[in-house]
Amino acid sequence: MSRTLHIDWTKCDGRGLCTELLPGLLGRDDWGYPVARRGDRTDIAIGRDDADAADEAVKLCPRLALRVVGGSGGSGGRPAR
Amino acid sequence: MTFKETALPESTGWRAPFGTFRLFAAGTHAGFARHVDTFGPLDLDSVGPELISVLKASGLTGRGGAAFASWRKLAATAQSRSAGILAPRPVVIGNGAEGEPLSFKDKTLLAEAPHLVIDGLLAASRAVGGSQLYLYAGAASFPAVERAISERPAARGIRLVEAPDRFIAGEASAAVNAIATGSALPFDKRRRLSESGLKNRPTLVLNVETLAHIALIARYGAVWFRSVGSAVDPGTRLISVSGPGPDQVLEVAGNESLGEILYSSQIDAADVAAVLVGGYHGRWVKPHDYKLSVSGPASHAVRPGAGVFHVLPAGYCGLETTARIVDYLAGESARQCGPCMFGLPAMAGVLNRIAYRERDPRLVKELERLGKLVAGRGACHHPDGTIQLISSALDVFSDEIKAHLAGTCTTVNGRAA
């Protein structure tokens, strides 16, 4: 299973650290919150080049709003709607 | 279909309801005696996991809005239960928190046929091996439900929890949160509720109308359920009809047409500007030949959602009406997720500028940009549902938009309904 970066929007405060660590993956919206540049915007696919930066973002997020899901990490994802 | 397939199992001498008149067949404020007399008894001891395959054959989809296949929810919950030796037993929640202002079919069902909902809750719990039962509903529904529970020893374990009168209170994770903490706010669903919901136990949240259908399917089977409706939209559904006339709840075939619903409601299609189907997270459509359906092309099918059917009379401005709804939805944000907390008021602001005829041709593009920016970003469906409503308004009221951007309105005096 490929790895995804999961954003818990209830915790995210738009500090922007993740967008600095993962500029290819995340932009910022009008209010400073991260926006995935492509694909799913809550469970964002992580390419091999971004794996280390994504783990770093999870560790450094001051709001603990990020998780890496799948691959060697956790389990499950977002339920289908 | 052969006669053999339509025959009821011999174990019941009761006649299953015929046609689309099912859920209210026991009459108004049905007590337990009349309920059993109408539908026949439900032998709970004979209900088990096999009900899940009957539900699969029935094709029942959730009646709370998302139209997810009900059997899948039960199967996932039952599976979580068997996932480990010490896996906790599931929690089953009947969701009657109808936060949607234009919806009143669940309140009506709980008032008129609480025993069907209780049957469904007890049967669903048997099917997944549940051990804790909750009914989550607005305070107004309590008296009828409490009276019904007091009539049946088997239902004594059902705990009633009050749902606040807020739009998002009925969202599944908000229901779980309300029961757990008293605060009806959605939470982040990194794990499915069927794996980890209330107190981290596998949790099954089903709309009360869904439960009432389960109560009948447990009695009469899948073939009976499918005897009305279509292959994709089998059975019946309740709809809340509102607009110029009196509010009413109709029980219609799963794939009923818009025209038929207007006719049943005694509304002349010529007097209709548009219909909002599915509620505040739904879609505006012109009164054309649409059918309610959980799937199908947008040109012919409109998703029933939670069964809301709101008629905008001719001569009223759909843009003003939608702007007012979006103002409300922005105010109903749980204010937990940034894109919703900031994005919805921003969209409401732009839509209001269009509704009040500001002559700025860039407004529509800005509204579309904001919609694209906010979409798919939130712990619940509230932003996405709001965006869906706005985009349907931009589509259906396109002539009105042209007029508004030119500083006029196509309606007589630009009134919101």
Side-chain angles (χ1 to χ4, degrees):
Chain A
M1 179 179 162
S2 60
R3 291 177 10 128
T4 56
L5 183 70
H6 175 83
I7 302 175
D8 179 346
W9 294 106
T10 67
K11 293 196 177 125
C12 174
D13 210 6
R15 305 285 178 95
L17 206 83
C18 56
T19 61
E20 290 185 25
L21 287 164
L22 296 157
L25 221 56
L26 301 170
R28 296 183 85 168
D29 69 9
D30 299 19
W31 311 282
Y33 293 87
V35 191
R37 297 195 185 277
R38 65 198 73 85
D40 193 291
R41 296 163 131 198
T42 295
D43 294 284
I44 302 137
I46 307 168
R48 206 165 299 164
D49 303 348
D50 286 318
D52 291 347
D55 288 331
E56 196 73 2
V58 171
K59 279 202 217 66
L60 293 176
C61 173
R63 305 279 305 152
L64 303 176
L66 300 172
R67 293 268 178 289
V68 169
V69 180
S72 56
S75 68
R78 203 155 170 241
R81 294 209 185 276
Chain B
M1 193 182 276
T2 65
F3 175 74
K4 191 166 172 291
E5 282 176 317
T6 58
L8 286 176
E10 286 172 19
S11 57
T12 74
W14 280 268
R15 292 236 308 275
F18 183 77
T20 56
F21 187 64
R22 295 178 168 186
L23 299 177
F24 298 116
T28 54
H29 306 299
F32 192 51
R34 189 144 43 89
H35 166 77
V36 173
D37 201 42
T38 306
F39 297 112
L42 175 62
D43 178 16
L44 285 165
D45 292 334
S46 68
V47 176
E50 73 289 339
L51 177 62
I52 298 175
S53 44
V54 179
L55 289 174
K56 184 176 181 180
S58 78
L60 175 67
T61 52
R63 299 295 195 243
F68 194 68
S70 302
W71 76 269
R72 284 188 195 276
K73 269 192 185 180
L74 272 79
T77 310
Q79 198 180 4
S80 301
R81 193 213 159 181
S82 52
I85 297 198
L86 292 173
R89 291 181 63 185
V91 173
V92 184
I93 299 168
N95 186 357
E98 224 171 357
E100 165 84 51
L102 297 176
S103 184
F104 36 85
K105 53 110 176 158
D106 290 340
K107 295 175 190 71
T108 307
L109 184 69
L110 287 169
E112 306 294 353
H115 285 291
L116 269 187
V117 176
I118 292 169
D119 280 351
L121 195 55
L122 296 173
S125 174
R126 292 285 177 132
V128 301
S131 70
Q132 274 191 22
L133 299 178
Y134 293 90
L135 193 56
Y136 174 67
S141 299
F142 277 31
V145 173
E146 281 168 345
R147 197 177 325 119
I149 287 174
S150 72
E151 287 186 279
R152 333 176 35 167
R156 295 279 155 82
I158 297 173
R159 284 178 243 183
L160 288 182
V161 176
E162 186 179 335
D165 193 16
R166 296 302 302 263
F167 186 82
I168 50 168
E171 197 269 342
S173 68
V176 171
N177 211 358
I179 293 168
T181 68
S183 156
L185 297 175
F187 54 78
D188 180 60
K189 287 170 284 289
R190 197 168 56 85
R191 296 180 66 194
R192 291 183 173 87
L193 294 175
S194 59
E195 291 169 33
S196 173
L198 190 69
K199 300 179 199 131
N200 299 322
R201 293 162 60 152
T203 301
L204 175 64
V205 183
L206 291 168
N207 165 266
V208 291
E209 186 198 334
T210 309
L211 291 172
H213 288 294
I214 289 174
L216 296 181
I217 292 166
R219 283 178 169 86
Y220 313 125
V223 173
W224 167 83
F225 183 73
R226 288 184 169 278
S227 64
V228 296
S230 65
V232 182
D233 299 283
T236 60
R237 63 173 76 256
L238 297 178
I239 55 172
S240 310
V241 181
S242 61
D247 287 354
Q248 48 191 326
V249 174
L250 301 178
E251 184 172 13
V252 301
N255 64 331
E256 192 56 276
S257 69
L258 237 68
E260 194 59 44
I261 294 168
L262 289 172
Y263 180 77
S264 305
S265 312
Q266 300 181 315
I267 298 167
D268 187 340
D271 301 334
V272 176
V275 183
L276 178 58
V277 181
Y280 285 3
H281 281 173
R283 178 183 158 203
W284 286 106
V285 290
K286 290 282 183 196
H288 297 159
D289 186 26
Y290 288 97
K291 275 190 175 295
L292 294 180
S293 181
V294 298
S295 62
S299 53
H300 294 82
V302 57
R303 310 275 174 270
V308 167
F309 194 91
H310 180 67
V311 177
L312 181 73
Y316 282 83
C317 178
L319 294 175
E320 283 185 35
T321 304
T322 308
R324 226 187 33 212
I325 295 172
V326 176
D327 277 344
Y328 164 84
L329 291 173
E332 290 292 301
S333 168
R335 307 188 62 76
Q336 298 184 112
C337 308
C340 178
M341 181 171 32
F342 295 105
L344 265 52
M347 286 191 284
V350 179
L351 187 58
N352 272 283
R353 288 164 67 190
I354 296 171
Y356 294 101
R357 304 173 216 168
E358 188 176 313
R359 296 186 185 199
D360 184 346
R362 293 167 307 176
L363 289 172
V364 173
K365 281 240 181 321
E366 173 62 1
L367 198 49
E368 286 168 345
R369 182 190 75 85
L370 287 166
K372 285 196 184 89
L373 191 65
V374 172
R377 299 164 70 226
C380 80
H381 189 69
H382 190 55
D384 289 345
T386 306
I387 291 161
Q388 177 173 277
L389 172 77
I390 293 171
S391 70
S392 82
L394 293 181
D395 175 34
V396 168
F397 304 121
S398 55
D399 292 347
E400 285 87 335
I401 288 174
K402 283 194 196 90
H404 275 237
L405 293 175
T408 63
C409 183
T410 59
T411 59
V412 183
N413 46 8
R415 295 169 301 171

